[in-house]
Amino acid sequence: MYTICKVVSHPTIDYAAEELKKYLRMMMPRCGEIPIAYQPNGKNGFRLGLMKDFELDTSDAEDDQLDDIVFIQADDNGGIIAGSNPGALLIAVYRYLRFCGCRWLFPGIDGESIPTVLSLPAVHYRKKADHRYRGQCNEGAEYQQNMMETIDFTPKIGMNTYMLEFDVPTSYYFNYYLHRENSVREAEPVTNETILQWKRQCEVEIQKRGLHFHDMGHGWTAEPLGIQSNGSWEKMDERRVPQESVPFLAQINGERSLFQGVPLNTNVCFSNQEVRRIIAKYVADYAEKQNNVDFLHIWLADATNNHCECDDCRKKDVSDWYLILLNEIDAILTARKLNTHLVFIVYVDTFWRAKETKLLNTKRFTMLYAPISRLYTETYHEDADTGKVVPFNLNHNTLPQGMAECLGYLDEWKKVWPGDCFCYEYHFWLHQYYDPSGMYLAKLLYQDITGLKKHGLNGIVEDGSQRSFFPTGFPFYVYGETLFDSSVSYETLKEDYFSHAFGEKWREVVAYLESLRDRLDFAYLSGLCSADESKGKYYNPQFAQKAAEISKITADFAAVIAANKNQSSRAASVSWRLLAEHIPFVNGIAEMVEKKALGDQIGMAASAQKLKKEFSEKEIYLERYYDQYLFWHAFSRFLNA
């Protein structure tokens, strides 16, 4: 009989013990009950605790609360499963179960591939995660059950971080519950009060798993002034701006008003000491109340070229005013004896480093590098080129695109920032939809992650949909697994994922998806391959010819799907069925490309309307994997260019 003893008491360790028990019983359905007990001096069965409880070395961790080390020493009767911190222990449990043959291919029970075994293997394994920050941030159209499943999925593929953007993430929930970009589903109104409750539910689930909770982002330039942004990019009637707050707004073209009518995109007059005091106090009040936050992100307004042009603000660059504000936030947090850790962001107008100002209390801060304008046809293996950095030009900046250029700005920031730094990335935002196969994206993610250390970057938090698993979960699997262990080869990850997801015919699936990748080109769908800009951003007959081949490829492979969709593994059965549902999707995209690439805008629009209607009807069956809203949001560029 197997037993599990916890050598230390902690809620995440309690949860880790329950997870180990659950999957052991699933793998060995006739093994009987597996009791769990708190036994600090336990010697038998599985023993779960922190590495220090077993006097195991953690000296290679700069900070054992942030740097995850997993340790496993077990045989068929049990053994030690430990982590450098409680969250690392939970990851260690899942790593052990991986050695037993378990895989988590996509969120939810249907994504679990759990073998039946007669005995447990001997496992001797120690690994420090190759990156400190490994996680995701909410985006797109989210619904609450999906949020619960993606939080649960996070540590199962080696990730340790979850971010919830905004005080109340209204827009993301509205995108789903109002069924934006869906032509058949009836809107289901939800209130900010409900959304805030759901956010708190997410926070509890994040904390239970020992994940690092990152909070907020945009909003600090609106909410403290009594201007409700509600985590939304909606326009607002200027008359709703409190009169006493108007003098605090950024002055642009001689006017102090909302930037293009959107509170979330509106910056403030940072040279005004009173507005900085108001924001700093608001941040401190929030931090004092939300004391469960591990990393509180302090970002400026969204959008670019939207900063104050008054005479006083012109005396310093935006990044200098930003660091002045952050130092003042630090001062009030220090006065209140709050140890809240803050994240500042290198993003759009703060891509240009501060010239005169430095952060005074570097221990309180981590830098977030967010190259939203980068090209996803290049990777972090590029060398930084500071020679391409141009001077800051207030409200007349052009954001860099090439990776060498983008990384040049990062190098400039490193001249004034000596501390920790990680990425905020966008592979699973719009860009995943420019690769309908998922295979280009997966390889790009692998190459990006294996290039991070070259630039002193310690991980990624991905801004993207929580429904990024159509037609497969391979790109997200590559993301989590490579951040945890960058020494694993891409080909190994490919075989590992597809063999578990599709069984013995997995190579045929890979070949099929790669044939789609080669005909629906990522660079073309990103708008980078026009043969004649005067005829349109997407005009290129060569790609029309490639897209025309898709229908035969999918028709031929439909027979393979039909012959293999009834697998004994539930995860494999679902994976094959998702491929079947993907056929009309990729056929519809190919039909749009055929017409768009030849300059037939009317024909393309008709094809788009047909595809939108079909997948509006299908979304309810695919919504765990496919984000209807974000797909059409991404393709709006293709439709309208």
Side-chain angles (χ1 to χ4, degrees):
M1 182 178 76
Y2 292 100
T3 61
I4 299 172
C5 73
K6 301 172 290 187
V7 303
V8 64
S9 179
H10 187 280
T12 299
I13 297 175
D14 295 343
Y15 181 72
E18 294 290 347
E19 287 289 274
L20 178 61
K21 172 180 176 174
K22 177 178 73 177
Y23 288 110
L24 287 175
R25 294 208 63 195
M26 290 174 71
M27 288 190 296
M28 299 178 291
R30 304 297 184 187
C31 73
E33 170 64 341
I34 301 176
I36 299 174
Y38 170 58
Q39 294 180 346
N41 299 312
K43 301 296 181 185
N44 299 312
F46 286 98
R47 284 153 285 157
L48 272 59
L50 301 181
M51 292 176 69
K52 65 182 180 182
D53 299 319
F54 299 104
E55 298 182 346
L56 296 168
D57 179 35
T58 61
S59 60
D60 49 336
E62 292 179 26
D63 184 331
D64 61 13
Q65 295 306 302
L66 297 178
D67 297 321
D68 295 333
I69 305 174
V70 302
F71 179 91
I72 304 164
Q73 184 173 306
D75 57 26
D76 185 39
N77 298 309
I80 293 172
I81 302 179
S84 53
N85 57 69
L89 169 59
L90 178 61
I91 293 172
V93 165
Y94 294 133
R95 293 288 111 176
Y96 170 70
L97 293 167
R98 278 177 57 86
F99 282 107
C100 296
C102 297
R103 293 296 184 275
W104 293 272
L105 304 171
F106 43 81
I109 290 172
D110 284 346
E112 297 185 345
S113 176
I114 312 299
T116 300
V117 300
L118 298 176
S119 62
L120 299 174
V123 179
H124 299 277
Y125 179 74
R126 184 191 189 276
K127 173 66 182 175
K128 178 189 171 193
D130 285 332
H131 297 89
R132 176 177 286 180
Y133 304 94
R134 314 181 306 278
Q136 59 187 304
C137 178
N138 57 337
E139 172 61 90
E142 62 192 49
Y143 64 97
Q144 190 63 359
Q145 180 59 36
N146 178 241
M147 293 297 290
M148 296 294 99
E149 290 181 347
T150 57
I151 292 167
D152 177 71
F153 183 65
T154 294
K156 290 175 175 176
I157 59 170
M159 300 197 298
N160 67 350
T161 298
Y162 210 102
M163 180 171 177
L164 299 174
E165 193 178 6
F166 305 126
D167 180 22
V168 184
T170 302
S171 183
Y172 301 146
Y173 280 99
F174 275 16
N175 288 339
Y176 174 81
Y177 287 97
L178 300 183
H179 300 302
R180 291 169 173 165
E181 300 293 355
N182 188 300
S183 60
V184 302
R185 296 179 74 177
E186 183 181 352
E188 307 167 61
V190 291
T191 65
N192 280 344
E193 290 74 20
T194 298
I195 292 169
L196 184 58
Q197 288 180 330
W198 283 344
K199 184 183 179 187
R200 296 295 178 257
Q201 183 184 26
C202 289
E203 291 174 23
V204 170
E205 295 301 318
I206 289 166
Q207 189 174 44
K208 179 167 73 175
R209 290 163 176 80
L211 302 172
H212 301 304
F213 174 41
H214 291 233
D215 191 22
M216 282 299 292
H218 301 300
W220 301 112
T221 57
E223 305 292 342
L225 305 182
I227 305 171
Q228 289 192 342
S229 62
N230 287 336
S232 169
W233 288 266
E234 298 292 325
K235 290 186 177 182
M236 190 179 88
D237 188 333
E238 292 277 351
R239 291 172 294 185
R240 291 176 55 195
V241 177
Q243 282 301 304
E244 63 273 18
S245 296
V246 172
F248 297 149
L249 303 181
Q251 177 183 298
I252 301 175
N253 297 325
E255 258 186 67
R256 295 191 186 273
S257 60
L258 297 178
F259 184 73
Q260 298 174 351
V262 179
L264 202 66
N265 291 353
T266 302
N267 275 303
V268 298
C269 183
F270 284 111
S271 63
N272 187 318
Q273 188 172 0
E274 177 61 13
V275 74
R276 297 199 309 271
R277 185 196 67 79
I278 291 170
I279 292 173
K281 180 181 181 301
Y282 191 94
V283 171
D285 290 345
Y286 186 93
E288 197 162 14
K289 189 171 291 184
Q290 297 302 117
N291 56 7
N292 60 308
V293 177
D294 297 303
F295 292 82
L296 185 60
H297 289 237
I298 311 298
W299 304 352
L300 304 184
D302 207 0
T304 184
N305 293 323
N306 56 351
H307 287 273
C308 189
E309 299 169 346
C310 76
D311 291 342
D312 286 334
C313 281
R314 285 181 178 276
K315 293 175 182 177
K316 298 180 187 293
D317 286 355
V318 167
S319 290
D320 282 286
W321 288 121
Y322 185 30
L323 297 198
I324 289 169
L325 171 66
L326 291 169
N327 281 331
E328 291 173 355
I329 293 171
D330 168 58
I332 191 170
L333 291 173
T334 301
R336 295 192 190 186
K337 295 182 170 55
L338 297 174
N339 62 0
T340 308
H341 196 85
L342 303 181
V343 177
F344 72 100
I345 190 168
V346 174
Y347 171 76
V348 293
D349 292 19
T350 61
F351 234 63
W352 285 261
R353 72 168 174 88
K355 293 177 181 175
E356 305 170 0
T357 315
K358 292 186 178 181
L359 291 172
L360 302 177
N361 181 8
T362 56
K363 291 182 179 179
R364 190 183 290 280
F365 294 95
T366 298
M367 187 170 84
L368 182 63
Y369 174 66
I372 191 171
S373 60
R374 65 165 280 198
L375 293 175
Y376 286 82
T377 51
E378 301 172 352
T379 78
Y380 282 89
H381 283 282
E382 296 287 334
D383 293 326
D385 187 350
T386 55
K388 292 185 177 179
V389 173
V390 300
F392 181 79
N393 187 7
L394 180 63
N395 292 346
H396 292 87
N397 291 307
T398 299
L399 299 179
Q401 289 193 304
M403 280 302 296
E405 181 183 3
C406 287
L407 291 165
Y409 286 83
L410 175 63
D411 269 16
E412 286 294 312
W413 262 106
K414 286 183 178 178
K415 293 177 181 178
V416 297
W417 173 248
D420 202 7
C421 179
F422 67 104
C423 295
Y424 192 74
E425 265 291 355
Y426 304 88
H427 299 83
F428 295 102
W429 181 44
L430 308 182
H431 305 284
Q432 65 170 314
Y433 299 108
Y434 306 142
D435 173 31
S437 71
M439 301 304 288
Y440 175 89
L441 184 74
K443 187 63 177 288
L444 175 69
L445 280 157
Y446 184 83
Q447 292 173 330
D448 271 347
I449 293 166
T450 55
L452 292 178
K453 291 290 187 181
K454 175 179 179 179
H455 303 287
L457 295 165
N458 208 1
I460 302 177
V461 170
E462 284 282 351
D463 174 274
S465 176
Q466 275 57 63
R467 300 187 278 158
S468 298
F469 306 93
F470 187 59
T472 76
F474 181 52
F476 215 93
Y477 190 80
V478 167
Y479 174 62
E481 292 295 332
T482 309
L483 279 173
F484 183 80
D485 184 355
S486 298
S487 69
V488 179
S489 74
Y490 177 75
E491 292 302 318
T492 298
L493 289 171
K494 186 192 294 184
E495 179 173 355
D496 181 49
Y497 183 88
F498 282 97
S499 62
H500 285 91
F502 295 98
E504 63 180 18
K505 297 290 186 181
W506 70 268
R507 290 181 179 84
E508 293 183 37
V509 175
V510 169
Y512 165 70
L513 291 174
E514 289 179 344
S515 71
L516 300 182
R517 175 201 63 196
D518 294 342
R519 287 159 179 83
L520 290 174
D521 185 82
F522 176 86
Y524 170 77
L525 287 173
S526 299
L528 302 175
C529 297
S530 176
D532 186 343
E533 287 283 352
S534 69
K535 294 182 179 180
K537 196 173 183 179
Y538 294 92
Y539 177 79
N540 194 324
Q542 172 190 345
F543 290 99
Q545 293 172 9
K546 289 185 176 183
E549 299 172 13
I550 292 288
S551 59
K552 184 179 187 309
I553 292 170
T554 56
D556 290 345
F557 199 72
V560 180
I561 295 173
N564 288 277
K565 67 180 183 180
N566 294 321
Q567 298 278 324
S568 58
S569 160
R570 173 63 180 167
S573 184
V574 171
S575 294
W576 279 102
R577 281 167 165 75
L578 283 174
L579 279 187
E581 296 292 350
H582 186 252
I583 284 179
F585 182 73
V586 75
N587 282 345
I589 294 172
E591 187 178 307
M592 287 195 294
V593 169
E594 280 187 70
K595 294 170 182 176
K596 185 79 169 183
L598 294 174
D600 180 5
Q601 182 70 13
I602 294 174
M604 184 279 301
S607 296
Q609 186 176 12
K610 182 176 69 172
L611 181 64
K612 189 169 191 175
K613 183 178 185 301
E614 181 174 4
F615 274 80
S616 290
E617 293 168 349
K618 287 188 173 190
E619 186 197 17
I620 194 168
Y621 305 107
L622 300 171
E623 61 185 11
R624 176 176 280 132
Y625 319 102
Y626 163 69
D627 191 327
Q628 168 86 350
Y629 165 80
L630 203 53
F631 169 75
W632 288 103
H633 181 60
F635 258 70
S636 64
R637 300 180 182 186
F638 179 84
L639 300 177
N640 299 319

